[in-house]
């Protein structure tokens, strides 16, 4: 793994995350996403304690991931159905020629 760590700030604490140069932008984007979730929870909920805040942020991020995976699965299922319909149409057209 070439490259150095990338410093990120989460909850006013700095962490240096080891990553390759190719992963640097993704790590920084991930830190911004985590901070955004934490800020969202701070604005919308009366959460007392850093531990609870971080756990709620982690649960929200996990929920986002699960929703995205379910959406992807629905998309892939629809794509599979469309491909099947397309093959049937093509077969019907070829048979009528």
């Amino acid at each position: 793994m070439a490259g150095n760590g990338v410093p990120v700030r989460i909850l006013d604490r700095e962490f240096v995350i080891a990553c390759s140069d190719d992963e640097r932008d993704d790590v920084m984007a991930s830190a911004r996403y985590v901070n955004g979730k934490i800020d969202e929870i701070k604005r919308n909920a009366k959460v007392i304690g850093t531990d609870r805040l971080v756990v709620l942020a982690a649960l929200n991020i996990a929920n986002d991931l699960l929703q995205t995976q379910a959406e992807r699965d629905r998309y892939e299922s629809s794509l599979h159905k469309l491909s099947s319909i397309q093959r049937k149409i093509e077969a019907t057209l070829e048979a009528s020629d």
Side-chain angles (χ1 to χ4, degrees), residues 36-72:
K37 284 295 180 181
I38 290 170
D39 290 343
E40 180 182 316
I41 293 167
K42 282 181 182 178
R43 282 191 312 272
N44 297 324
K46 294 182 193 240
V47 178
I48 298 174
T50 302
D51 291 348
R52 288 177 183 239
L53 185 62
V54 171
V55 168
L56 283 174
L59 289 171
N60 277 290
I61 291 167
N63 185 56
D64 290 347
L65 173 64
L66 293 173
Q67 287 179 344
T68 300
Q69 288 174 335
E71 186 176 314
R72 183 202 62 215

Side-chain angles (χ1 to χ4, degrees), residues 1-60:
M1 177 184 298
N4 296 319
V6 58
V8 298
R9 282 193 87 68
I10 297 175
L11 286 171
D12 296 323
R13 289 184 57 195
E14 186 166 302
F15 301 89
V16 177
I17 308 299
C19 65
S20 69
D21 290 339
D22 293 342
E23 297 170 315
R24 185 178 183 85
D25 290 341
D26 291 337
V27 169
M28 291 170 60
S30 295
R32 283 191 301 274
Y33 188 79
V34 168
N35 279 319
K37 284 295 180 181
I38 290 170
D39 290 343
E40 180 182 316
I41 293 167
K42 282 181 182 178
R43 282 191 312 272
N44 297 324
K46 294 182 193 240
V47 178
I48 298 174
T50 302
D51 291 348
R52 288 177 183 239
L53 185 62
V54 171
V55 168
L56 283 174
L59 289 171
N60 277 290

